[in-house]
Amino acid sequence: MLIDDIKTAEPVISGQLKSCGNHTFIVIDENKQTFKLNVDKKYRNDKLFWSSLYSIAKAKTMGSHH
């Protein structure tokens, strides 16, 4: 699990990545609510994980300009 405070987090069925960095990422759910998710320590230094998130965020940004 990526959420480090699962006891206080509500489940999100689906979400769209808005941004990522600083051991967190921001998503928007189906109801247009924004959530800041803290990345578990296990993934904080995972270069492949962060590269994937940055690629998703970049593709979304590029797609919105076309």
Side-chain angles (χ1 to χ4, degrees), residues 12-31:
V12 175
I13 308 270
S14 65
Q16 180 180 35
L17 179 65
K18 289 294 283 180
S19 64
C20 58
N22 251 0
H23 305 298
T24 63
F25 54 99
I26 311 253
V27 296
I28 295 178
D29 74 358
E30 299 167 328
N31 298 317

Side-chain angles (χ1 to χ4, degrees), residues 33-58:
Q33 290 183 321
T34 302
F35 295 89
K36 179 179 177 183
L37 304 176
N38 296 312
V39 176
D40 187 277
K41 290 178 185 176
K42 175 177 159 183
Y43 296 97
R44 289 186 182 172
N45 295 318
D46 184 334
K47 292 180 182 182
L48 182 58
F49 173 77
W50 286 105
S51 177
S52 298
L53 283 180
Y54 285 122
S55 294
I56 292 167
K58 183 178 178 183

